[in-house]
Amino acid sequence: MQVVAEGFNAFETQKTPQGEVKYLGSPQDVIDVVQSGKLQEYILLVRGGTTTFLTPALTMGALGVITMSGAPESHLGILSREFQIPCVMTAYLTESDSRYVVGNTDDSHFDEIAQSLIGKTVQLNCDDAEVGRVSLIG
Amino acid sequence: MSIEMTPGLRSTYKQRYEPVDDGLRFQELVFEGNFVGQEPMRDGILGDKVQKQRAKSKVLEKVTKDDVLADQFTLDELNDLNNYLAWNIWDVLVMRATEGVSGMIPRQEYEILAFMHQFYRWPEILRMTTDEVGSQGILDIGASARREIGTKVNAVHDWSIGAVGFGMGRCGLLALEAIGPDDYIEESNELLKFMQRIEFGKRQDGYILNSQDRYRCQIHEPDFLQGIIDQIEDLEPESPRHNSFTRFNAAAELLSFLDHMDCRLGLGDTGPYELPNGNLLILRDLFVNEPIFHWSDVCDDAKLPHAYTVAIVIDPEKMGLQEIRVNDISTTFTRPKNYIPAIVGGAVFAREKHDTPMSEVRTIAIDDLGAELPRIQDATLKMYRKVSRMCRRDLIWAGQYVYYVDMILPYLRKAGTYEKACNEYQLWEIDQRVSNYYYDINKRGFAQEVVPQKIFSGQGYLPFGEGADLRRSKYRWL
């Protein structure tokens, strides 16, 4: 499998969730995906590393999460560990030089990641102490 | 980011408590703060050691009751506390600074408004509270945490008085150039004295912060703790009961974050307490229903208690525990990070109201948690819908209230001065200066770039000037 993105690993786990990448841009997107009954088909991609935005998805049992900012010490990192939902944080594309910098990251950074991952079927590998990986399937 | 950690499964965490040990590094970043030109500081036990070495006073060593009862810090003590809190804030929060925008709650914006509001308004309210109950009374409020669970007199609230109200509040106002380094020294003393007295009363070992004691918060009296331990049920990892317990913990934790506008005031960990068989106990208070917030009505409707307390027993050998930190914002971090599979026992308690007597705190059997969980999830989903429909301005002021009111609420409640603060000191009003800053925080990336950079780097915590007058407030608006 090709590793297309890497980031901070929220916690070490042998779980390797697979699913289609679903980008959630607004609270309504989160509500919609939970109400669709298809939550278990998706790996959720979000921009921020905070907890509250993903609340319904976390409490209803999301498979896996990729964030474009945040670290294991942030609220989402803590909650993903408590829920045992594999989570790759501050993910960056392995074939791109663009990196997230606190307070100084252009929208193009987030757009590039989203466009590269949305709709792709991926697997999360979070067995490393530090690095979480996103791999393309098929 | 790498961790200097001994490979292998054998637990080595007890080495962290040996005096010569410098602890693990949980992050690669370094801290300079006010120590310009000196060796940059590191996180964890090593950082605490260096801070103590560089201090000009003894305020970071074990202090005495007489020290704490004295009304006035010296200038060196104030600056040592300022430097220490700046490092401590960096130590516990800098990696959180990476989390970016929420997508729902404008947290950076509400935080900076609250910091500044606290610095302006808390001093007279805390002084009034001290006048009402006396200095010993403040120590007693801190000490009440030793025989309670489900109490907000806890590490994160206690730390917030000094680290947030004084440290980040002053730092934010300095960054905004609304004040100078020698303004509001008298008020700074008031905030730091209140924090020191609460913390000293709670810990009773002479230290005031968990980081000074290698990240331990072992505050409960042994006989009280035994009453909790007696309720613990064994849990077999990966069993349905283990899953039920960990899922309950996570769901209640999530609701406590949401009820406090994505803030850690909803959580409170104490420990780790070593049990006779070598396992470790963490006590975690989860405040799932804070009735002073109007959005918490959904928690009332779901008949949720004020707080659940989850007793978590971890087998350190099972996870090869290298270090465990119960930090000053009441959050437990471990290396390795995933302690959930190493949970081998647990218990759950419910405290209906903040002042429900300990004798009436009820134990919830782990087999009954399945019935408890849907009510938590119901309240969580309803609160999410409610919050997601709030406009940005309402969200910012709601979050501001969570910080500004909740961070001193437990002491005012215990002292019996909350109503007086509301009625005579207009606690829930917003100071006109802070109201005006609402517009400033959106300019030039102030909330999302300038303040985090100043706060997390430590550069913004300017020292009080040499020879500054300890009685000084702010006398000129020029």
Side-chain angles (χ1 to χ4, degrees):
Chain A
M1 287 186 291
Q2 180 192 357
V3 176
V4 289
E6 292 183 348
F8 297 122
N9 185 19
F11 66 95
E12 311 88 340
T13 177
Q14 296 301 317
K15 290 182 180 178
T16 53
Q18 298 180 355
E20 179 187 335
V21 175
K22 179 82 169 177
Y23 178 69
L24 303 176
S26 70
Q28 192 56 49
D29 288 348
V30 181
I31 293 170
D32 288 347
V33 76
V34 170
Q35 290 182 334
S36 73
K38 296 180 178 177
L39 184 63
Q40 297 289 313
E41 296 177 16
Y42 298 120
I43 300 295
L44 306 177
L45 175 65
V46 295
R47 187 160 159 169
T50 64
T51 306
T52 44
F53 177 71
L54 271 179
T55 291
L58 294 174
T59 203
M60 298 308 288
L63 271 183
V65 175
I66 305 167
T67 77
M68 292 185 259
S69 56
E73 291 78 7
S74 60
H75 296 176
L76 183 54
I78 295 169
L79 262 297
S80 68
R81 182 187 70 218
E82 301 296 351
F83 277 108
Q84 296 288 283
I85 297 170
C87 181
V88 178
M89 310 195 76
T90 310
Y92 58 88
L93 300 172
T94 52
E95 294 191 350
S96 169
D97 292 332
S98 182
R99 296 291 183 270
Y100 175 77
V101 178
V102 178
N104 189 26
T105 305
D106 194 79
D107 281 347
S108 61
H109 171 79
F110 303 109
D111 293 341
E112 181 186 18
I113 296 174
Q115 286 169 13
S116 297
L117 295 181
I118 289 172
K120 302 282 173 51
T121 301
V122 301
Q123 174 175 302
L124 303 187
N125 289 91
C126 299
D127 54 345
D128 186 87
E130 295 305 308
V131 180
R133 296 180 174 86
V134 182
S135 301
L136 278 182
I137 297 177
Chain B
M1 190 167 72
S2 67
I3 299 171
E4 298 161 19
M5 194 167 76
T6 308
L9 273 179
R10 195 177 65 82
S11 115
T12 57
Y13 81 97
K14 285 187 178 177
Q15 293 174 15
R16 307 289 85 80
Y17 305 137
E18 294 171 4
V20 297
D21 192 86
D22 288 339
L24 304 184
R25 305 281 69 76
F26 279 22
Q27 56 182 308
E28 285 187 339
L29 302 172
V30 294
F31 175 85
E32 184 178 75
N34 285 330
F35 301 107
V36 180
Q38 300 186 54
E39 180 75 16
M41 296 177 59
R42 304 301 305 269
D43 68 310
I45 292 166
L46 180 59
D48 169 70
K49 278 187 180 181
V50 174
Q51 281 275 4
K52 286 170 178 162
Q53 290 164 3
R54 292 181 181 177
K56 291 182 177 176
S57 72
K58 299 292 185 188
V59 75
L60 304 179
E61 305 295 336
K62 289 189 173 181
V63 292
T64 67
K65 187 174 177 181
D66 285 343
D67 294 330
V68 177
L69 288 175
D71 286 332
Q72 180 67 58
F73 287 113
T74 67
L75 203 56
D76 282 344
E77 287 174 334
L78 288 173
N79 277 328
D80 287 339
L81 286 169
N82 181 49
N83 287 337
Y84 193 88
L85 289 169
W87 166 80
N88 182 292
I89 290 163
W90 170 84
D91 184 42
V92 297
L93 289 180
V94 70
M95 292 307 294
R96 210 208 73 183
T98 61
E99 66 194 15
V101 295
S102 152
M104 190 159 79
I105 296 176
R107 206 171 58 213
Q108 288 98 336
E109 287 83 351
Y110 86 58
E111 285 179 346
I112 185 57
L113 287 172
F115 299 160
M116 297 190 285
H117 208 186
Q118 292 162 349
F119 187 75
Y120 279 142
R121 292 296 327 277
W122 277 1
E124 68 166 346
I125 295 169
L126 298 181
R127 180 184 298 141
M128 174 272 286
T129 299
T130 304
D131 289 345
E132 289 278 338
V133 302
S135 303
Q136 179 63 48
I138 304 302
L139 266 66
D140 294 342
I141 289 171
S144 68
R146 299 176 68 80
R147 304 195 69 83
E148 290 191 45
I149 52 174
T151 175
K152 283 187 168 180
V153 179
N154 62 11
V156 62
H157 283 77
D158 304 347
W159 173 89
S160 293
I161 307 165
V164 184
F166 160 73
M168 291 194 248
R170 182 170 173 271
C171 184
L173 288 164
L174 287 167
L176 198 63
E177 299 180 351
I179 69 170
D182 289 350
D183 292 332
Y184 297 109
I185 301 178
E186 181 186 0
E187 288 85 349
S188 297
N189 184 76
E190 198 72 48
L191 293 167
L192 289 170
K193 261 298 160 190
F194 199 96
M195 177 191 76
Q196 187 195 40
R197 288 169 178 165
I198 289 286
E199 296 268 25
F200 182 87
K202 179 188 70 181
R203 293 191 59 93
Q204 297 191 4
D205 64 355
Y207 288 133
I208 59 174
L209 295 169
N210 300 348
S211 58
Q212 292 174 282
D213 188 31
R214 294 167 184 258
Y215 300 90
R216 289 175 288 192
C217 187
Q218 298 165 333
I219 60 165
H220 286 105
E221 299 288 358
D223 65 316
F224 177 82
L225 195 59
Q226 191 59 49
I228 302 290
I229 293 169
D230 290 344
Q231 305 298 312
I232 289 171
E233 301 179 48
D234 290 337
L235 291 170
E236 187 178 341
E238 300 184 26
S239 67
R241 294 175 80 248
H242 186 275
N243 185 53
S244 174
F245 177 75
T246 55
R247 187 159 180 76
F248 173 86
N249 168 56
E253 192 168 325
L254 181 57
L255 178 57
S256 70
F257 266 112
L258 189 57
D259 197 32
H260 292 76
M261 289 280 149
D262 204 359
C263 156
R264 293 185 206 203
L265 291 181
L267 286 77
D269 283 4
T270 59
Y273 300 101
E274 185 175 359
L275 301 177
N277 63 1
N279 288 339
L280 296 176
L281 170 66
I282 295 289
L283 288 179
R284 173 168 301 157
D285 293 326
L286 299 168
F287 301 96
V288 293
N289 185 2
E290 179 47 74
I292 66 164
F293 304 137
H294 65 75
W295 52 88
S296 205
D297 58 348
V298 296
C299 302
D300 292 338
D301 293 346
K303 301 190 185 321
L304 292 178
H306 175 56
Y308 290 111
T309 299
V310 183
I312 302 170
V313 178
I314 298 167
D315 180 346
E317 299 306 325
K318 188 173 178 60
M319 65 179 292
L321 183 63
Q322 311 290 302
E323 182 167 335
I324 181 166
R325 295 185 189 178
V326 177
N327 69 20
D328 287 295
I329 53 173
S330 278
T331 309
T332 300
F333 289 104
T334 59
R335 289 294 184 272
K337 288 179 268 192
N338 191 6
Y339 63 79
I340 302 294
I343 293 175
V344 293
V348 177
F349 306 89
R351 191 173 191 182
E352 292 304 325
K353 308 287 183 190
H354 73 88
D355 56 357
T356 296
M358 279 297 105
S359 59
E360 295 176 23
V361 168
R362 60 187 171 90
T363 305
I364 303 172
I366 289 175
D367 283 341
D368 293 338
L369 291 178
E372 206 82 14
L373 186 62
R375 294 195 287 120
I376 294 173
Q377 290 176 317
D378 180 51
T380 302
L381 295 174
K382 285 178 177 168
M383 190 177 294
Y384 186 85
R385 287 199 182 93
K386 181 187 284 260
V387 171
S388 69
R389 291 171 184 172
M390 290 168 70
C391 70
R392 184 173 182 274
R393 188 182 180 107
D394 284 352
L395 287 167
I396 288 175
W397 288 116
Q400 192 277 153
Y401 283 126
V402 169
Y403 267 45
Y404 165 69
V405 177
D406 197 295
M407 284 182 180
I408 56 170
L409 177 67
Y411 321 110
L412 306 189
R413 277 173 167 164
K414 292 276 186 190
T417 58
Y418 175 66
E419 294 299 328
K420 186 172 184 176
C422 292
N423 299 327
E424 297 181 27
Y425 289 74
Q426 296 179 288
L427 176 65
W428 284 80
E429 259 302 345
I430 294 169
D431 189 277
Q432 192 170 354
R433 291 164 292 186
V434 175
S435 192
N436 289 340
Y437 297 151
Y438 176 81
Y439 299 97
D440 288 322
I441 60 165
N442 288 313
K443 294 173 184 170
R444 299 177 294 280
F446 185 75
Q448 295 195 6
E449 295 173 33
V450 177
V451 171
Q453 196 274 331
K454 296 272 189 185
I455 285 176
F456 293 126
S457 72
Q459 294 171 2
Y461 301 81
L462 303 180
F464 298 105
E466 193 173 337
D469 192 328
L470 292 171
R471 299 168 300 177
R472 185 174 168 78
S473 181
K474 184 173 175 67
Y475 300 121
R476 293 183 296 272
W477 286 90
L478 298 174

